Amino acid sequence: MADITAPAYRIIPIIPVLKPGAMEGKGPFVASDKINEAIGFPGQLVDDWHDRAIAKMAELLSKYRSLKVYMDACVHCGACSDKCHYFIGTQDPKNMPVARQDLMRSVYRRYFTLPGKLFPKLVGARDLTREVLDEWYNYFNQCSECRRCSVFCPYGIDTAEVTMAAREILDSVGYGQKYSNEIIGKVHKIGNNLGLPAPALLDTLEGLEEDVKEDTGIDVRFPIDVKGAEVLLITPSADFFAEPHIDSLIGYAKVFHASGTSWTLSSMASEAGNFGMFIGNYDQLRKIALRIREAALELGVKRIVVGECGHAWRVAYSFWNTLSGVGEGADETDRFAMMLQKQLDHRYRQPTHICEFTWDLIERNALTFDKSANDKHIITFHDSCNVARGSRMGDLPGGQFEIPRNIIRAVANNFVEMAPNTTREQTFCCGGGGGLLTDDLLDLRVKGALPRMEVLQNAVDEHGVNFMATICAICKAQFTKVMPIYGFDRKMVGGVHQLVSNAIQLSAK
Amino acid sequence: MNALFAVLFYLATLLFVVGLLQRIRTYAVTPAPLKIPTTPAPTTSGGVVLRMAREVVFFESLFKANLWIWSMGWLFHASMALVLVRHLRYFTEPVWGWVVFLQPFGIYAGIAMLFGLCGLWARRLFVERIRYISTPSDHLMLLLLIGIAVSGLLMQFAAHTDVVAVKSFFLGWMQFSIQPLPADTLLVLHLAAVAALLAIFPFSKLLHAPGVFFSPSRNQTDNPREKRHLSAWAAKLESEK
């Protein structure tokens, strides 16, 4: 780990030359028998992995239109070829989105298309050998499922969908990744990704109440498992004790306090993150999402609000209604969804992002801020990939870009943008998303952060930026880890609600 | 020769139509269990129609990605559309007025199409990244299209063929009656290449044409909170509980 260094900035952001094989290797740690079996996967690589993998691929092709169309539609035009942060940072050609997809497409062609069966060489089709399987494991664990490539593809081919399918196939033959699968085990067993048991959680929340009291002199509560509360807050478990995440949790609590909202956390669903998405497994995605449904039904809440977490917001916004009925517009005959939807208050969006919640209050003048409390910061905003390209906030497309920025401008005086081709829908991944936030992938994470670090450096040089706000637990954890390697202060990273927390006036109303 | 080409075109057309319909059917019946539009995405179906139209007519995403691929790719596709329209005159009698009007433009389009194809091929040959991802079939596909364009243009500008006879061959072909076809090498090459293109269409990357309309990241409405989206196989999981 000591030998991991940051790659040099490109003078102008030119497209790097290829370094074939630069990131060849065994990939991240493979999950142990115990980890795999705990979540229903074979313990280790099964003997008939070849046949099982092809059968799984056939199953996925029949269940997911995305995969089916994406396998056929690519014309190798190269539009995506220079768009991936991992390609830019590693120069390994297999990290070009099209080449990453082709790791699977070549196998698809061989087993599922006529030309691939007849003339494999001609169309670049190959047998699924052990080498190919190992290559899948290595390179499909070098994709953060950030969807940046899908913005530029003329057919909207989303490498994330291909990566998810590949990981699902790998899991089905007992070749899972330790980090993601271990976390999924923890969320089922303990209730959150960090494995924080309920008593420890209660302690932490009590400690927070004391801290805030000491800081502000005001009794801001951090309630948990309160039946009949109006709002259930689902937030990434990192918010409970990781730095700088916890400062945003304090921010949410202050917003709830200032607006007089009755709210609660849930010890059963003390995690917004859903790593089921990262491994492309619908059953896990659904099971993890159902915990929130159960908690909402049990506590009888009227609204569900989601904290600052990128992929969790994508799952909540885009998938919760499908998976667990958190949303509206279910069929009258849909008893499963109606059970919950009748309970929820549909004057509000279900689920609501904490930024939507806060911005609604700001628009109604229900909050007061002392903007000068953030004057020490010159702030920029890093759009998190899953929020930017897999979700929305507010009523208008692109609200996921405007609302967090509006909040920052409402609570602070100094806000500047980074280069426009690296923000909003074209934002770069932090380098640690998609189930890659593990130390055994630190080299990849550092290299993958390169394009973001370059434009941040520009913003620092041009505007003196000293704070990069973001609304994702993974972004926060990744940046605090890799930014020192690029020579930045790790404290430069923080949440939007950390800024809210600094400026909000609790005694004013 | 005449019969051979007639049969060849029946077979190629059959493969093209049946193969393509079968493929489209597969795309249509395969469920999309989750809402995955690449956002920001339209929130209404009217908005989705506009997004798809911009994508299909102007190649909006490609424009954002790379101006060289976009300009060459768009030039090729738009020109080819005009060239195809121009060729309608071989299949209609009398020729429709708007097709007559577009005839001269179709000739220029033929040249532009060739230019676009050469640009795309140059990119594939000389840009390291694109060369890396190209398979032999990617090169052959461009060669085939270039062959079609060159043979067509040569018949226009160098060695004229008897277009009246060609027209009567295809009018007859459409009525299942075999008419004589001029035995010019260029014409034979041109038609054989077109037949080959028709035949491989449903088995190759040319499926990008129907595929784009079925791409969930482009054709889905961004309304997951407002409306519950549930595929049949996902709904089954709920009844099992």
Side-chain angles (χ1 to χ4, degrees):
Chain A
M1 221 175 93
D3 58 343
I4 288 172
T5 51
Y9 292 141
R10 297 165 295 167
I11 314 289
I12 35 167
I14 44 157
I15 298 158
V17 292
L18 304 185
K19 278 191 194 161
M23 293 302 283
E24 261 171 22
K26 287 186 170 35
F29 295 151
V30 178
S32 68
D33 296 38
K34 214 175 115 197
I35 289 171
N36 278 336
E37 281 160 9
I39 54 173
F41 297 135
Q44 44 184 292
L45 192 64
V46 293
D47 291 333
D48 57 344
W49 57 268
H50 176 274
D51 295 353
R52 279 215 227 175
I54 298 299
K56 191 72 188 177
M57 196 165 167
E59 183 197 325
L60 296 179
L61 285 165
S62 72
K63 282 171 118 176
Y64 291 92
R65 183 186 297 159
S66 52
L67 188 65
K68 181 87 206 158
V69 172
Y70 298 164
M71 283 293 109
D72 277 343
C74 177
V75 300
H76 291 165
C77 73
C80 62
S81 60
D82 56 347
K83 302 297 186 280
C84 174
H85 53 291
Y86 290 122
F87 169 65
I88 293 170
T90 68
Q91 298 173 250
D92 188 320
K94 283 178 183 157
N95 276 330
M96 295 191 284
V98 47
R100 195 188 313 282
Q101 294 163 21
D102 271 359
L103 298 176
M104 180 181 281
R105 191 173 287 114
S106 56
V107 174
Y108 165 78
R109 288 203 172 131
R110 184 75 179 112
Y111 294 85
F112 298 95
T113 71
L114 193 63
K117 285 176 184 167
L118 298 176
F119 319 105
K121 285 259 160 56
L122 186 72
V123 295
R126 14 173 234 177
D127 290 314
L128 180 59
T129 60
R130 181 61 207 261
E131 288 70 38
V132 171
L133 196 74
D134 289 341
E135 202 178 30
W136 279 21
Y137 184 79
N138 183 32
Y139 285 103
F140 285 117
N141 282 307
Q142 294 187 34
C143 166
S144 58
E145 304 176 347
C146 81
R147 316 188 88 199
R148 189 168 193 264
C149 46
S150 87
V151 170
F152 299 100
C153 175
Y155 321 110
I157 299 175
D158 180 5
T159 310
E161 293 290 309
V162 181
T163 294
M164 289 172 195
R167 292 184 186 173
E168 164 80 329
I169 293 170
L170 288 165
D171 272 325
S172 77
V173 298
Y175 201 169
Q177 183 225 31
K178 176 175 180 251
Y179 172 70
S180 294
N181 289 4
E182 190 172 31
I183 279 181
I184 292 173
K186 272 193 240 171
V187 86
H188 290 310
K189 205 168 153 207
I190 305 168
N192 54 63
N193 289 356
L194 292 175
L196 203 63
L201 190 54
L202 289 174
D203 268 3
T204 308
L205 295 176
E206 271 171 29
L208 279 175
E209 287 179 355
E210 285 162 21
D211 290 351
V212 177
K213 170 95 180 175
E214 212 170 280
D215 236 29
T216 63
I218 290 168
D219 283 308
V220 174
R221 304 295 317 278
F222 289 78
I224 186 160
D225 294 331
V226 178
K227 280 197 181 169
E230 190 196 345
V231 167
L232 169 62
L233 175 74
I234 303 291
T235 205
S237 54
D239 282 1
F240 297 125
F241 80 99
E243 283 287 348
H245 308 62
I246 204 160
D247 296 321
S248 285
L249 177 63
I250 294 171
Y252 321 149
K254 287 182 179 172
V255 169
F256 289 132
H257 177 95
S259 60
T261 309
S262 82
W263 68 288
T264 184
L265 292 156
S266 156
S267 56
M268 179 213 301
S270 51
E271 177 61 65
N274 189 330
F275 277 35
M277 181 176 90
F278 294 160
I279 64 165
N281 184 289
Y282 192 92
D283 286 334
Q284 286 299 340
L285 183 65
R286 180 165 175 272
K287 268 187 207 147
I288 296 168
L290 285 180
R291 293 156 44 254
I292 285 104
R293 171 191 169 88
E294 273 172 54
L297 286 169
E298 194 185 296
L299 298 171
V301 295
K302 299 284 176 212
R303 305 180 64 179
I304 302 179
V305 174
V306 180
E308 295 181 359
C309 183
H311 84 282
W313 179 240
R314 181 178 181 200
V315 173
Y317 173 85
S318 291
F319 306 156
W320 269 3
N321 202 355
T322 298
L323 299 166
S324 63
V326 176
E328 63 174 287
D331 222 50
E332 279 297 326
T333 57
D334 182 349
R335 282 176 46 217
F336 176 84
M338 284 315 275
M339 203 171 135
L340 181 61
Q341 297 198 351
K342 277 188 184 145
Q343 176 190 313
L344 298 174
D345 183 345
H346 293 289
R347 288 175 303 166
Y348 305 102
R349 301 178 191 98
Q350 304 286 358
T352 305
H353 193 282
I354 187 70
C355 286
E356 292 180 309
F357 186 90
T358 301
W359 179 241
D360 281 347
L361 290 169
I362 294 174
E363 277 196 304
R364 289 194 277 116
N365 283 320
L367 301 175
T368 321
F369 299 103
D370 171 17
K371 291 168 86 164
S372 68
N374 279 315
D375 277 353
K376 58 182 183 254
H377 295 311
I378 299 170
I379 302 157
T380 191
F381 182 68
H382 163 81
D383 292 279
S384 299
C385 46
N386 277 295
V387 176
R389 292 182 284 260
S391 80
R392 174 162 57 97
M393 289 180 204
D395 295 325
L396 299 173
Q400 68 270 36
F401 311 132
E402 304 308 330
I403 288 176
R405 287 172 169 80
N406 290 346
I407 295 176
I408 295 173
R409 288 194 198 96
V411 303
N413 287 313
N414 312 314
F415 175 74
V416 295
E417 289 280 4
M418 286 184 278
N421 58 343
T422 70
T423 55
R424 298 175 184 250
E425 69 167 353
Q426 300 198 16
T427 188
F428 276 108
C429 168
C430 63
L436 308 181
L437 190 74
T438 172
D439 281 351
D440 42 314
L441 286 172
L442 190 58
D443 179 42
L444 176 78
R445 286 166 52 192
V446 170
K447 288 173 173 158
L450 177 72
R452 173 51 78 222
M453 293 297 102
E454 287 173 340
V455 289
L456 176 63
Q457 185 68 58
N458 286 343
V460 170
D461 296 343
E462 279 173 37
H463 305 287
V465 163
N466 60 11
F467 192 90
M468 180 165 68
T470 185
I471 47 173
C472 171
I474 289 178
C475 292
K476 291 171 194 169
Q478 156 77 353
F479 284 136
T480 47
K481 182 96 183 180
V482 304
M483 279 174 59
I485 301 176
Y486 281 91
F488 295 103
D489 182 353
R490 68 205 303 264
K491 289 214 171 74
M492 273 180 77
V493 180
V496 167
H497 277 78
Q498 179 176 338
L499 299 170
V500 171
S501 175
N502 292 344
I504 195 166
Q505 299 299 293
L506 295 179
S507 45
K509 282 201 181 155
Chain B
M1 176 73 185
N2 302 329
L4 182 77
F5 258 91
V7 172
L8 184 70
F9 263 87
Y10 285 129
L11 286 178
T13 309
L14 192 72
L15 265 177
F16 175 76
V17 173
V18 175
L20 203 57
L21 283 179
Q22 196 275 338
R23 213 64 195 161
I24 289 174
R25 200 190 67 89
T26 315
Y27 295 154
V29 300
T30 308
L34 293 167
K35 280 282 196 172
I36 58 164
T38 308
T39 58
T43 54
T44 60
S45 35
V48 168
V49 170
L50 275 180
R51 181 186 203 179
M52 286 304 304
R54 289 199 308 273
E55 205 61 85
V56 173
V57 179
F58 301 113
F59 303 179
E60 184 184 36
S61 297
L62 190 56
F63 182 78
K64 287 185 213 167
N66 186 304
L67 280 178
W68 189 4
I69 315 180
W70 177 83
S71 54
M72 291 301 144
W74 193 84
L75 188 66
F76 157 58
H77 283 87
S79 310
M80 186 176 63
L82 260 179
V83 168
L84 286 175
V85 165
R86 182 177 138 85
H87 279 69
L88 282 176
R89 69 175 174 154
Y90 294 103
F91 301 88
T92 49
E93 184 57 47
V95 180
W96 303 322
W98 62 278
V99 176
V100 175
F101 172 75
L102 288 174
Q103 288 303 308
F105 302 102
I107 297 173
Y108 296 116
I111 299 167
M113 175 178 154
L114 180 62
F115 181 73
L117 283 167
C118 291
L120 289 174
W121 199 24
R123 202 176 146 74
R124 214 172 264 300
L125 288 172
F126 300 119
V127 178
E128 190 190 21
R129 304 189 318 282
I130 318 294
R131 191 167 61 232
Y132 179 89
I133 57 172
S134 299
T135 60
S137 59
D138 293 329
H139 292 283
L140 288 176
M141 198 75 78
L142 282 169
L143 264 179
L144 184 64
L145 285 161
I146 287 173
I148 292 172
V150 168
S151 56
L153 285 169
L154 283 177
M155 280 186 279
Q156 175 66 40
F157 292 110
H160 286 287
T161 193
D162 181 355
V163 289
V164 178
V166 174
K167 177 160 183 167
S168 75
F169 171 82
F170 276 105
L171 286 176
W173 182 84
M174 286 162 65
Q175 310 280 337
F176 296 100
S177 119
I178 293 172
Q179 303 295 322
L181 190 65
D184 300 333
T185 317
L186 280 173
L187 181 68
V188 168
L189 280 175
H190 189 70
L191 293 182
V194 171
L197 191 71
L198 284 175
I200 58 173
F201 201 105
F203 306 99
S204 65
K205 67 173 187 177
L206 298 177
L207 286 169
H208 68 280
V212 63
F213 293 98
F214 291 93
S215 175
S217 55
R218 290 291 179 272
N219 74 9
Q220 285 187 338
T221 318
D222 178 21
N223 62 352
R225 285 192 289 195
E226 291 78 13
K227 180 113 190 64
R228 187 164 197 233
H229 171 90
L230 199 63
S231 72
W233 67 259
K236 259 192 211 148
L237 299 173
E238 281 164 20
S239 57
E240 277 164 13
K241 219 189 167 184

